[in-house]
Amino acid sequence: MVPLHRMDTDRRRALCISALVVVVATVAVQLIRALRFPLGTDFVGVFDVGGGILRSGRTDLYDPAAQFAMARQLLGAVPVAGFHSEYVDHPLLAWIFQPASRLPYETGLALFLVISLGVLVLSAVLALPLLGDDRRSLIGASLLGLAIFSLPASLVLATAQIDSFFLLGLVLSIRLMLARRPLLAGLLLGVPMLKPQLVWLVVPLLIIARQWRAILGAGLAALAVVGTAFLLL
């Protein structure tokens, strides 16, 4: 196998075009899958059910019976098999997406998928400078695109999850760290902290690196995440 740095320009260009085709095809397949099986996505529980319960003024956000009743109210008769009505996320997400429960379900899902795809593209663009000298290289850009839109990562589109926003928060946090603004970088970690299993290794790494201001920012963000949960419930 020929190393990348030894390939001629035409072969590199062909490789990059192939990577672009893979990215576009993967994204298209995942979007079609989500729109073809709309009740099999997390959009039901995370947005319509969560947002619907809070919008109605109720506080039993995590009651399975209340969640299923709200799903029936918003969607009508719903199938049992493959139906994701459970809401297990931070209440702030339900509060943010309350307007989604005012839209027809398919319309809200399509709108969310468009926004989520846009956030993934924005994350890729903002991550380009992190490649250093390779940021203007077709190979570097192609590898970045393959990483962000790989099959496991692009499943956030197929299942209509909110992880694309968490990725954007992490990318912005890294860029702020490199710009020597550690406090703001730590505060931005509050975005992925809404799904804490995504960032549980970050704080130990900050401790090892002795980034005390970033740790302070992350601590303040954690307090805000916990505090909003108590305020909304």
Side-chain angles (χ1 to χ4, degrees):
M1 184 175 180
V2 181
L4 290 176
H5 67 276
R6 292 186 179 180
M7 287 185 179
D8 56 45
T9 302
D10 290 338
R11 293 186 67 180
R12 290 189 181 187
R13 185 176 293 110
L15 183 62
C16 294
I17 292 174
S18 299
L20 177 62
V21 170
V22 170
V23 167
V24 172
T26 300
V27 170
V29 168
Q30 303 298 9
L31 290 175
I32 292 172
R33 175 183 170 185
L35 294 173
R36 187 176 179 184
F37 305 103
L39 294 181
T41 69
D42 286 357
F43 187 78
V44 177
V46 176
F47 305 107
D48 272 17
V49 175
I53 291 176
L54 282 184
R55 187 166 60 86
S56 63
R58 297 164 60 177
T59 58
D60 49 353
L61 184 62
Y62 298 103
D63 182 359
Q67 293 177 6
F68 193 79
M70 181 57 65
R72 291 184 64 88
Q73 177 182 328
L74 294 173
L75 305 175
V78 293
V80 176
F83 178 66
H84 302 278
S85 65
E86 299 86 358
Y87 184 85
V88 295
D89 290 291
H90 194 284
L92 181 60
L93 296 178
W95 183 82
I96 291 173
F97 285 94
Q98 287 182 73
S101 61
R102 299 178 183 271
L103 299 173
Y105 178 73
E106 289 78 6
T107 303
L109 174 61
L111 179 60
F112 171 76
L113 289 174
V114 170
I115 294 174
S116 185
L117 178 59
V119 170
L120 285 173
V121 172
L122 177 60
S123 299
V125 172
L126 292 175
L128 274 176
L130 302 179
L131 296 176
D133 294 337
D134 291 330
R135 66 182 181 277
R136 296 183 180 178
S137 165
L138 286 176
I139 294 294
S142 300
L143 291 176
L144 177 62
L146 286 173
I148 290 181
F149 294 99
S150 63
L151 181 57
S154 63
L155 283 176
V156 301
L157 297 175
T159 54
Q161 296 189 31
I162 198 172
D163 297 61
S164 56
F165 296 90
F166 300 150
L167 173 63
L168 178 60
L170 285 172
V171 170
L172 289 172
S173 181
I174 293 172
R175 290 198 55 168
L176 285 170
M177 284 292 293
L178 295 177
R180 300 182 183 277
R181 305 187 73 175
L183 183 61
L184 287 178
L187 287 172
L188 266 178
L189 289 177
V191 177
M193 279 182 188
L194 293 171
K195 209 168 187 177
Q197 64 267 33
L198 299 177
V199 293
W200 67 276
L201 280 176
V202 174
V203 174
L205 290 175
L206 292 176
I207 294 175
I208 293 173
R210 298 182 179 181
Q211 295 291 335
W212 308 122
R213 290 187 178 181
I215 294 171
L216 173 61
L220 293 174
L223 289 175
V225 169
V226 175
T228 53
F230 282 102
L231 289 174
L232 293 172
L233 292 179

